Amino acid sequence: MQFMLLFSRQGKLRLQKWYVAHPDKLKKKITRELITTILARKPKMCSFLEWKDLKIVYKRYASLYFCCAIEQNDNELLTLEVIHRYVELLDKYFGSVCELDIIFNFEKAYFILDELLLGGEIQETSKKNVLKAIAAQDLLQEEFRPGSELSYWVLLKE
């Protein structure tokens, strides 16, 4: 996978993860072109399209579009499955995820994506293991927030 974009029906970019280096100017151009192209497509149209030298796979869930760019020889159905797995993980974590969850908790959305994908490849196929890693991170974050008892003892040890 080259990159993943999440954007709203209004064309607002909500999350972007690039697995191939591009200058910021080119990223903005690519993002703008893809959002415009995908939003112009009819709902009954296929979720795959060829764009430049890549294949674009996208799926709409409620008010968000999940869009991935893959190589010509990559599997579109597997990419759709990756998108669906990510949405399932977001749903489990947020309890029926919505656009506002992504906006106000974007760091968690990125963390969940990073637990699922590494370098544009599937890192963990088990939803249970991904959710365990997220729960462990949440616990760690809670324990070390300023003013918590554990962070007080850690500071005393130093």
Side-chain angles (χ1 to χ4, degrees), residues 20-133:
V20 174
H22 293 294
D24 285 344
K25 194 173 183 178
L26 182 58
K27 286 181 187 178
K28 287 179 183 170
K29 183 177 185 244
I30 290 169
T31 302
R32 192 173 42 251
E33 281 182 33
L34 282 177
I35 289 174
T36 305
T37 302
I38 291 170
L39 289 177
R41 292 172 63 87
K42 294 182 175 27
K44 296 282 184 192
M45 292 178 89
C46 178
S47 293
F48 312 137
L49 61 114
E50 292 197 13
W51 183 78
K52 300 192 178 188
D53 59 339
L54 299 171
K55 280 195 254 182
I56 304 301
V57 178
Y58 69 93
K59 181 91 170 113
R60 180 177 159 198
Y61 288 90
S63 65
L64 284 174
Y65 284 88
F66 292 73
C67 169
C68 295
I70 58 174
E71 301 288 331
Q72 285 293 337
N73 57 349
D74 287 342
N75 188 327
E76 302 95 337
L77 295 176
L78 182 62
T79 307
L80 265 181
E81 190 60 36
V82 169
I83 291 171
H84 188 71
R85 178 60 49 107
Y86 183 48
V87 172
E88 286 178 323
L89 287 165
L90 290 171
D91 269 345
K92 285 266 194 219
Y93 184 79
F94 291 110
S96 189
V97 68
C98 68
E99 189 175 348
L100 288 176
D101 291 321
I102 304 293
I103 293 168
F104 292 116
N105 300 291
F106 65 91
E107 69 285 341
K108 288 294 178 196
Y110 277 111
F111 186 78
I112 294 168
L113 185 59
D114 289 343
E115 285 297 314
L116 179 66
L117 297 173
L118 181 65
E121 301 288 331
I122 286 280
Q123 172 179 272
E124 179 59 68
T125 56
S126 167
K127 283 188 283 189
K128 194 167 126 182
N129 287 347
V130 171
L131 291 168
K132 259 196 246 179

